[in-house]
Amino acid sequence: TAKRFGIGYAPDGWSNVLDKFGKSPEAIERLLATGLIIRKDNGQHYDRFRDRIMFPIRDARGRTIGFGGRTLGDGEPKYLNSPETHIYHKSRLLYGLNWSKSQIVRSDESVVVEGYTDVIAFHLAEMPVAVATCGTALGEEHLDLLRRFSKRVVLAFDADEAGAGAAERGFERSVPGDLDLRVAVLPKGRDPADLVSAGDIEDLKGAIDDSAPLLQFRIDRELAGFNLDEPESRGRAVRAAAAL
């Protein structure tokens, strides 16, 4: 799996990349431009990624344009991405699209997940239609990218409050009627990588197959906050749903 998806490792230490590739002023400027090193206020430099599992971030054509690194310990942040550069713009990029676009076109369905390992899990489950944003919320430009390949977009986030909120925010600026926007409700506390690693692939497939239209998902979430056994509460629920 590591070979298939180009997963690597950034060793611990402050100058592994710098020592190997930064042997001239021109080389240092190139490393700064790609975001692989950082310049301190005193003019010294150090490696951005240290003691992290590394995921190459590729554009839709498969060209590596950035990296995401996951810490192996308790360090913060848990995930660290390359900074914005002249070739890496996270608002216009979806991790995994280079591997998934052909199957997305064939199935006319894409699935947006939260992280790199979730994308990889979909491939290991023989469902190569998943993509992920790179440390940013799903935005209008991401949807512009996806609509080139499919009309149905399924958001598969964790079934907790944060995941449900992300599902709603992810589609706030989408164009109504343009895409078939849906939400897959995953088992609580489990993400796609958890399900696949535990062998619960059918649960993952079922969640995608049973995905609900975005409007239905939002109305159901709104109604869940009301006691529908009481007439006054039902009235408030109707007004809340009508606003959506």
Side-chain angles (χ1 to χ4, degrees), residues 141-214:
E141 289 181 289
H142 295 125
L143 292 174
D144 284 341
L145 189 56
L146 286 174
R147 64 168 50 91
R148 300 181 197 171
F149 301 97
S150 71
K151 290 299 182 186
R152 174 176 289 195
V153 178
V154 180
L155 206 55
F157 283 0
D158 293 1
D160 56 16
E161 192 64 25
E168 292 187 358
R169 290 191 302 274
F171 291 137
E172 273 177 0
R173 284 179 280 179
S174 61
V175 181
D178 177 45
L179 291 171
D180 178 10
L181 305 175
R182 307 180 73 85
V183 178
V185 179
L186 301 177
K188 193 164 187 177
R190 305 180 75 192
D191 59 28
D194 295 330
L195 292 170
V196 173
S197 64
D200 297 328
I201 294 174
E202 290 306 314
D203 290 346
L204 180 60
K205 290 181 177 177
I208 301 303
D209 291 341
D210 296 338
S211 61
L214 175 63

Side-chain angles (χ1 to χ4, degrees), residues 83-94:
E84 295 267 316
T85 69
H86 68 288
I87 58 171
Y88 174 61
H89 307 281
K90 59 187 178 182
S91 64
R92 306 177 208 161
L93 183 78
L94 288 164

Side-chain angles (χ1 to χ4, degrees), residues 5-154:
F5 295 98
I7 300 169
Y9 172 64
D12 201 6
W14 294 89
S15 62
N16 290 292
V17 170
L18 193 59
D19 291 344
K20 187 169 181 63
F21 298 108
K23 295 181 178 178
S24 70
E26 294 79 9
I28 287 176
E29 289 305 314
R30 284 197 294 272
L31 293 176
L32 285 168
T34 58
L36 288 172
I37 64 172
I38 296 172
R39 177 179 285 149
K40 295 191 285 187
D41 291 340
N42 63 7
Q44 299 298 308
H45 304 89
Y46 63 95
D47 292 358
R48 180 179 299 274
F49 298 102
R50 306 177 303 279
D51 192 25
R52 289 177 181 269
I53 295 291
M54 298 294 289
F55 298 85
I57 298 172
R58 298 182 168 120
D59 65 12
R61 292 169 58 183
R63 300 173 297 183
T64 299
I65 57 175
F67 293 92
R70 188 197 190 284
T71 182
L72 290 176
D74 298 325
E76 293 292 337
K78 182 178 178 181
Y79 279 96
L80 178 66
N81 287 338
S82 292
E84 295 267 316
T85 69
H86 68 288
I87 58 171
Y88 174 61
H89 307 281
K90 59 187 178 182
S91 64
R92 306 177 208 161
L93 183 78
L94 288 164
Y95 175 81
L97 186 59
N98 57 299
W99 295 305
S100 303
K101 60 184 180 182
S102 295
Q103 183 58 34
I104 289 173
V105 170
R106 283 194 289 270
S107 63
D108 197 27
E109 178 179 77
S110 60
V111 179
V112 181
V113 294
E114 290 191 90
Y116 309 124
T117 55
D118 295 322
V119 170
I120 292 169
F122 267 82
H123 284 265
L124 299 180
E126 304 300 327
M127 294 189 291
V129 293
V131 296
T133 59
C134 297
T136 185
L138 183 70
E140 200 168 359
E141 289 181 289
H142 295 125
L143 292 174
D144 284 341
L145 189 56
L146 286 174
R147 64 168 50 91
R148 300 181 197 171
F149 301 97
S150 71
K151 290 299 182 186
R152 174 176 289 195
V153 178
V154 180

